[in-house]
Amino acid sequence: MRKEIMQNNKEWQTAYSVIEQLEQAGFEAVIVGGAVRDALLNRPAHDVDVATNALPEEVKSVFQRTVDIGIQHGTVLVIVPAGPVEVTTYRTDGEYTDHRRPDKVQFVRSLQDDLQRRDFTMNAIAMRHDGSFVDYYGGRQDIELRVIRAVGDAQKRFAEDALRMLRAIRFSAQLDFTIAKDTLMAIQNRAGDIAFIAKERIKAELDKLWLGMTVFSGLQKLEECGLAAYLQGNFQADRWYNFQTEDKHVGWAYFALLQGPNWREILRDYRLSNKEMAFVKSVLTAYEALKSGWTNTHYFTYKEQELEAAIYFAKLLQLDVRLPSEPIRVLQDKLPIRQKQKVAVNGADLLKWSGKKGGPWVKEALEDILEAIIHNELANDQQQIKNWLDRNYFHEV
C-alpha cells in the first residue's frame, strides 16, 4: 500500500521526503491521523501530516524553510521543494477546563503517549517510512469492523473536547460506520457539553456531515444521542432519507428549507458567510417559485447550481410540480442573453432619447427592457429597443 500511495499521491511523497530528512538527522517521524485512516479505507487524503519526537526547534534546525504556524502546540510548517508539510512534535495534553482545548501541552518523545491523546482509534494509527503501522489501540481492526470507537475512556475523551461527540456523528455519516456502544453512551451522557464549543467549529463539522454517505443515518444518531437538542434548528432526520450531495452549500440550503420562516436566524447562528447565505436564499426562492412554474426570468436570474438544488429538493420532498422538460444548462443557453451587461442600451441612452431628467424611471425602464428581451418579446438591438420604448414607455414618462 505504501508503494501505491507514494506513486500516486503527491502529498504522501512530500511527507515521506520530510520523514527521510528527519530520520537522517537522527529523529523518529511518522505519518499520523486522518491520512493513515483514509489510506486504509482507500480514500484520497489531502492533508498528510507528520509527527515526530523532534522538538519544534530541532525540526526547524533540520530544514531550511519553516513557518511557526502553531509552535506553542508543537506544529511547524516545513516547506520543501515538493510542497509544505505540517510537522508536529509528539505531545500529551494537559487539563481541558473549557471542554475545547488543553490548558497546556507537554512535548514527549513517546509515540504511544502521543497517539493516546487522540479522539478515535481509527485516527490513532501511525505509519512509518517503511510502510509498517503503529497501532496500539486497535484502530485497524475497528476500521475493518467499520466502527468508531473512542481511544481509551470515551467519557474522558469527550470531556476534553466536546466537539469530538459531533465528530463521531459526522464520521459515522461520512464513512457509513457504526458507533461503538460505550462511545455512543458517553455522547448521550455528555451531550450538553457541546454548548462549550464555538459555532464556527460546529459548522465545520456540519459542513462535512452534509457530504456524508449516509446523512440520514448520521442525523438519526444526532437525535438519538441527544446532541440535536443542544444545536440550533430542527434536524428532522426522517426528511433526509435519500439526501446526498457533493456540495456543502446544498446541504445548508436543504437544512434551511426544513427550518421554515426562521431559517435566516438559525443559519446565522452557525456563522454562515454572506456568500453562503446568498446561495441558500437563492435556492429557497427558486424552490418556492417552482411551485407556480419557472419562466425565462428564473433561468436568467439564478445560477444553474441554484436551480438544480431547488429541483433536487422538490424531488426529495415529492413536491407536486411540473419540472423543467430539459436540462437547466440547455434552457439557459437558449436565452437571448445571459447577463444584464449584454443589453444593447444603457441609462445614458434612455436619458438621451427621452429628453427627461434621471430618476427611478430609468431603472424601471431598463428592467422592463431586460424582461422583454429574455422573454423573446424584443430583440437585443439598439434601434429596435428605441422603437419599443417610443411605443410602450416614453409616452408614459
Side-chain angles (χ1 to χ4, degrees):
M1 182 175 66
R2 169 183 174 270
K3 182 178 179 182
E4 181 181 342
I5 291 169
M6 291 189 70
Q7 287 176 341
N8 300 319
N9 188 288
K10 177 185 175 182
E11 287 77 14
W12 276 86
Q13 294 178 36
T14 306
Y16 273 121
S17 72
V18 169
I19 289 176
E20 287 176 355
Q21 291 185 64
L22 285 167
E23 288 180 341
Q24 289 169 6
F27 298 107
E28 179 182 73
V30 293
I31 306 291
V32 292
V36 179
R37 176 199 68 228
D38 289 339
L40 287 166
L41 288 166
N42 294 316
R43 291 164 52 91
H46 303 292
D47 296 313
V48 184
D49 299 329
V50 171
T52 178
N53 64 353
L55 298 175
E57 293 301 324
E58 292 172 332
V59 172
K60 293 168 68 174
S61 71
V62 174
F63 300 93
Q64 292 184 341
R65 297 181 61 196
T66 62
V67 180
D68 297 348
I69 60 171
I71 197 165
Q72 70 275 17
H73 293 108
T75 302
V76 175
L77 186 69
V78 171
I79 302 172
V80 293
V85 177
E86 287 191 13
V87 178
T88 303
T89 301
Y90 299 160
R91 74 182 203 214
T92 58
D93 295 338
E95 293 296 317
Y96 286 73
T97 54
D98 62 359
H99 301 275
R100 291 177 292 180
R101 62 182 71 84
D103 298 336
K104 63 180 181 178
V105 301
Q106 181 176 343
F107 302 138
V108 296
R109 301 289 187 177
S110 166
L111 174 57
Q112 183 171 5
D113 288 345
D114 180 81
L115 295 176
Q116 189 175 26
R117 70 179 175 81
R118 297 176 184 269
D119 52 6
F120 307 113
T121 59
M122 65 180 184
N123 296 331
I125 310 167
M127 182 187 287
R128 296 194 186 279
H129 188 202
D130 62 5
S132 63
F133 294 100
V134 181
D135 182 13
Y136 296 108
Y137 306 104
R140 283 182 296 168
Q141 182 179 3
D142 282 340
I143 287 174
E144 290 177 5
L145 295 173
R146 305 184 70 80
V147 172
I148 297 166
R149 190 187 314 276
V151 174
D153 184 346
Q155 296 275 358
K156 183 177 179 181
R157 292 287 84 79
F158 297 142
E160 290 169 344
D161 183 355
L163 187 68
R164 288 170 172 168
M165 296 185 290
L166 187 55
R167 278 170 59 81
I169 303 296
R170 185 261 291 181
F171 278 127
S172 74
Q174 188 176 24
L175 303 175
D176 192 19
F177 277 24
T178 59
I179 300 177
K181 185 177 180 180
D182 63 330
T183 300
L184 189 60
M185 289 180 61
I187 296 174
Q188 293 171 335
N189 291 338
R190 305 206 66 96
D193 290 350
I194 198 69
F196 292 105
I197 302 302
K199 295 300 174 61
E200 290 83 358
R201 295 182 72 200
I202 291 175
K203 177 188 179 295
E205 291 301 320
L206 293 176
D207 283 347
K208 297 172 184 176
L209 191 154
W210 305 144
L211 307 180
M213 293 172 60
T214 56
V215 180
F216 164 70
S217 176
L219 293 181
Q220 271 191 319
K221 293 183 180 71
L222 196 71
E223 292 182 332
E224 291 169 2
C225 71
L227 269 178
Y230 297 94
L231 298 174
Q232 279 284 359
N234 187 339
F235 287 84
Q236 305 177 66
D238 60 313
R239 308 292 290 278
W240 295 78
Y241 186 71
N242 292 312
F243 182 89
Q244 198 154 31
T245 185
E246 296 180 356
D247 187 339
K248 66 180 182 180
H249 302 110
V250 174
W252 282 111
Y254 190 62
F255 178 69
L257 177 62
L258 299 180
Q259 305 311 306
N262 296 326
W263 69 265
R264 288 180 181 82
E265 178 184 346
I266 293 169
L267 265 61
R268 287 195 186 101
D269 187 71
Y270 288 106
R271 310 293 193 266
L272 269 70
S273 68
N274 291 337
K275 184 177 180 180
E276 290 171 323
M277 292 290 285
F279 175 83
V280 171
K281 180 181 177 182
S282 292
V283 173
L284 267 55
T285 305
Y287 174 85
E288 287 300 317
L290 185 58
K291 295 177 180 178
S292 55
W294 287 339
T295 67
N296 279 9
T297 299
H298 299 99
Y299 297 118
F300 179 86
T301 302
Y302 299 105
K303 297 175 182 177
E304 179 186 8
Q305 181 191 19
E306 295 164 348
L307 296 175
E308 292 286 5
I311 291 172
Y312 180 48
F313 297 169
K315 292 177 179 178
L316 278 176
L317 298 174
Q318 299 181 335
L319 193 66
D320 185 17
V321 295
R322 184 176 180 180
L323 298 175
S325 58
E326 296 180 275
I328 300 299
R329 183 171 298 180
V330 172
L331 293 168
Q332 290 182 324
D333 287 343
K334 289 181 178 180
L335 294 171
I337 59 173
R338 296 291 301 276
Q339 298 175 316
K340 290 182 180 181
Q341 294 83 351
K342 298 298 182 180
V343 175
V345 302
N346 56 36
D349 295 321
L350 270 60
L351 293 174
K352 176 182 175 182
W353 295 337
S354 69
K356 304 292 184 179
K357 293 182 179 181
W361 72 269
V362 176
K363 180 180 178 181
E364 295 171 4
L366 289 172
E367 290 175 351
D368 288 345
I369 292 167
L370 177 62
E371 280 289 306
I373 291 172
I374 63 177
H375 283 93
N376 295 299
E377 298 168 359
L378 175 63
N380 188 31
D381 174 82
Q382 193 174 71
Q383 185 58 52
Q384 292 197 44
I385 293 173
K386 183 177 184 300
N387 295 339
W388 183 86
L389 286 168
D390 287 339
R391 292 193 308 271
N392 301 295
Y393 209 95
F394 285 156
H395 70 280
E396 298 177 358
V397 176

